[in-house]
Amino acid sequence: MRRAGILLATVLVLTLAGAPAAPARAPTPATPGRIDGLRGATRAIVVFNWSWRDTRAAVRLYQRARPGDRWRLVRGPMPARVGYNGFSAARHEGDGTTPAGTFGFVYGFGSLPDPGMHGFSYRRLQPNSCWSGSRADYNRWVTRPCTRGESLWKNRRVAYRHAAVIDFNYRRPVYGRGSGIFLHQMTGGPTAGCVSLRPTDLVAVLRWLRPGTRIAIGPAAWLNSH
């Protein structure tokens, strides 16, 4: 009996040692029903990954008939790029992060004609189109030589063929908090703080946008608790 017990124990140890490890649980994606900033919305864009510093993200579009209804996935996941320093919930000018939070949209713009946006104005780029970094008109489109800010015209061939202004620090801009946060076309790498999509995905999203659409941005765990 003693020898049999030792043999049985040895078999159990060897069996357990050779057993495959249980698969790791997949991280939970950001879901609109858990994001407080989307409670009153009927259309939502969710931009998420699993790390504050990752420059790659996934984008999903959700829709519902009225607040309180169940959200329905209508497109995605779509690959996206964000700031070269990832996300930040306390963004400031020049830090290379995409602001984390929930925001609206202001208007569309681009070097190409309006792709078919609904309920938003659309502005065509001109050689003197500038996104101001000056204190007097911070975080605003201005028409003048761009001595301080971003020349939108310089990026007309790829990034700003089509774009939409995200309502970050826009209604009551705080100087130095960050400016020029857009949804625009991918350029092949991370952004300086915007969210970028592939051309076909971007046009589809711009056509789907309606006034009141909200965009939630950030790591999934953080979004699901905010």
Side-chain angles (χ1 to χ4, degrees), residues 89-163:
R91 189 184 196 279
H92 60 82
E93 190 72 46
D95 69 2
T97 66
T98 295
T102 306
F103 314 100
F105 289 90
V106 186
Y107 57 81
F109 70 91
S111 60
L112 298 182
D114 185 342
M117 297 184 72
H118 298 273
F120 291 95
S121 61
Y122 188 86
R123 303 182 66 169
R124 291 291 299 276
L125 291 179
Q126 303 296 329
N128 57 354
S129 297
C130 174
W131 200 265
S132 177
S134 299
R135 185 182 291 273
D137 41 26
Y138 186 70
N139 201 20
R140 287 292 185 273
W141 177 307
V142 295
T143 304
R144 63 169 183 249
C146 205
T147 56
R148 186 167 186 180
E150 179 188 2
S151 171
L152 303 177
W153 184 252
K154 285 185 178 180
N155 291 308
R156 68 190 183 279
R157 291 187 175 89
V158 181
Y160 299 153
R161 290 163 62 89
H162 295 112

Side-chain angles (χ1 to χ4, degrees), residues 67-225:
D69 287 355
R70 183 183 296 274
W71 287 102
R72 176 174 59 90
L73 178 67
V74 296
R75 188 180 179 93
M78 299 171 279
R81 300 303 297 270
V82 296
Y84 57 80
N85 281 324
F87 295 125
S88 173
R91 189 184 196 279
H92 60 82
E93 190 72 46
D95 69 2
T97 66
T98 295
T102 306
F103 314 100
F105 289 90
V106 186
Y107 57 81
F109 70 91
S111 60
L112 298 182
D114 185 342
M117 297 184 72
H118 298 273
F120 291 95
S121 61
Y122 188 86
R123 303 182 66 169
R124 291 291 299 276
L125 291 179
Q126 303 296 329
N128 57 354
S129 297
C130 174
W131 200 265
S132 177
S134 299
R135 185 182 291 273
D137 41 26
Y138 186 70
N139 201 20
R140 287 292 185 273
W141 177 307
V142 295
T143 304
R144 63 169 183 249
C146 205
T147 56
R148 186 167 186 180
E150 179 188 2
S151 171
L152 303 177
W153 184 252
K154 285 185 178 180
N155 291 308
R156 68 190 183 279
R157 291 187 175 89
V158 181
Y160 299 153
R161 290 163 62 89
H162 295 112
V165 179
I166 296 174
D167 186 10
F168 169 76
N169 196 32
Y170 187 85
R171 305 294 175 180
R172 295 180 178 86
V174 175
Y175 182 69
R177 187 181 175 203
S179 64
I181 304 300
F182 310 134
L183 178 66
H184 66 67
Q185 184 174 308
M186 278 185 176
T187 61
T191 71
C194 298
V195 177
S196 65
L197 291 170
R198 297 176 302 192
T200 53
D201 288 334
L202 177 64
V203 169
V205 171
L206 295 179
R207 289 173 176 168
W208 174 84
L209 282 181
R210 297 293 187 277
T213 301
R214 304 285 287 170
I215 182 168
I217 305 171
W222 185 86
L223 283 177
N224 287 337
S225 63

